[in-house]
Amino acid sequence: AFPLFSFSLFLHSLEKDIEVVMDQPLFGAVVICLIISAACHVKSIIEGSCSQVDQIWSISPIIYIVYLTFFDPAFPSPHPRLLLLSTLITVWGCRLTYNFARKGGYAGEEDYRWPVLRTIITNPLAWQLFHIGFISLYQNVLLLLVVLPALEASKTPLDWRRDGPLAALFSALVIMESVADQQQWDFHQRKKRGAPGDGDV
């Protein structure tokens, strides 16, 4: 009876430890990151293209910050600073995603880096380890790390005297970059049409 009682205490303690881990702000985000990494790897095998992370690098940070803001059990109600960051990151990500899409980023073409690396890493096992560890997992972990400063920001209340000017500066930079994106797009479209005065720059 004593071993059974000890095992029962162990299971109860383990359950409590699991609950503590699951209540940590990062737990859900890490789970999402692992799911995205696995999906990228499977999709890359099916399509024969290693550029899956390239297609979501402007989308994943939005997923992580929205989760931390609205769905993480560590925050019963949205933290004002996280709400601000969520809005800014979403605008930033939408701009990049739109610009990437209209340039054909989702057409399925593989980035030139991966065929070059295949000629360097010729061992099939070494390539699969690189594919899993770096292409699918490491790159997605980096995208999660982009959002982690938001957790530090959530430790202090929103202060518009401090956060307002920074948010305004960020917004101004996004607008400036959006204008530059459009100008570059217009320039290359004119070059494709062979418009006069649009020679090499």
Side-chain angles (χ1 to χ4, degrees):
F2 180 74
L4 184 61
F5 177 72
S6 299
F7 184 66
S8 177
L9 285 178
F10 169 75
L11 289 180
H12 181 71
S13 176
L14 181 62
E15 181 182 358
K16 290 295 183 182
D17 291 340
I18 292 174
E19 289 178 358
V20 170
V21 171
M22 292 181 67
D23 284 339
Q24 296 302 310
L26 271 181
F27 178 78
V30 169
V31 171
I32 293 172
C33 180
L34 292 176
I35 292 173
I36 292 175
S37 299
C40 285
H41 188 71
V42 172
K43 191 167 182 283
S44 68
I45 293 175
I46 294 173
E47 297 183 356
S49 171
C50 291
S51 291
Q52 308 305 320
V53 180
D54 300 339
Q55 297 179 0
I56 63 167
W57 75 273
S58 59
I59 300 173
S60 292
I62 298 176
I63 295 174
Y64 297 134
I65 191 63
V66 167
Y67 169 79
L68 290 175
T69 303
F70 295 101
F71 300 104
D72 198 303
F75 301 107
S77 60
H79 190 287
R81 291 193 89 190
L82 286 181
L83 277 173
L84 177 61
L85 287 171
S86 181
T87 302
L88 295 174
I89 290 174
T90 299
V91 171
W92 168 82
C94 287
R95 173 213 146 228
L96 290 172
T97 304
Y98 170 72
N99 205 44
F100 184 71
R102 68 175 175 175
K103 290 181 178 179
Y106 296 104
E109 184 176 346
E110 189 176 46
D111 189 274
Y112 72 93
R113 296 169 295 172
W114 309 126
V116 171
L117 282 171
R118 284 193 189 95
T119 64
I120 299 173
I121 307 174
T122 56
N123 183 283
L125 177 59
W127 173 256
Q128 286 303 317
L129 291 175
F130 176 77
H131 190 180
I132 296 171
F134 180 83
I135 299 176
S136 299
L137 183 60
Y138 177 72
Q139 291 191 112
N140 276 299
V141 170
L142 286 180
L143 294 174
L144 173 60
L145 293 177
V146 168
V147 181
L148 289 193
L151 291 179
E152 187 67 26
S154 68
K155 294 179 181 179
T156 55
L158 178 66
D159 183 353
W160 283 110
R161 292 171 299 179
R162 172 196 59 207
D163 299 324
L166 292 175
L169 175 61
F170 182 91
S171 300
L173 290 173
V174 170
I175 292 172
M176 182 179 68
E177 290 168 345
S178 300
V179 171
D181 289 340
Q182 187 61 44
Q183 290 175 341
Q184 184 186 52
W185 174 259
D186 292 340
F187 171 75
H188 286 292
Q189 292 304 110
R190 289 197 304 269
K191 283 187 66 177
K192 287 181 180 178
R193 294 194 300 266
D198 287 328
D200 294 335
V201 177

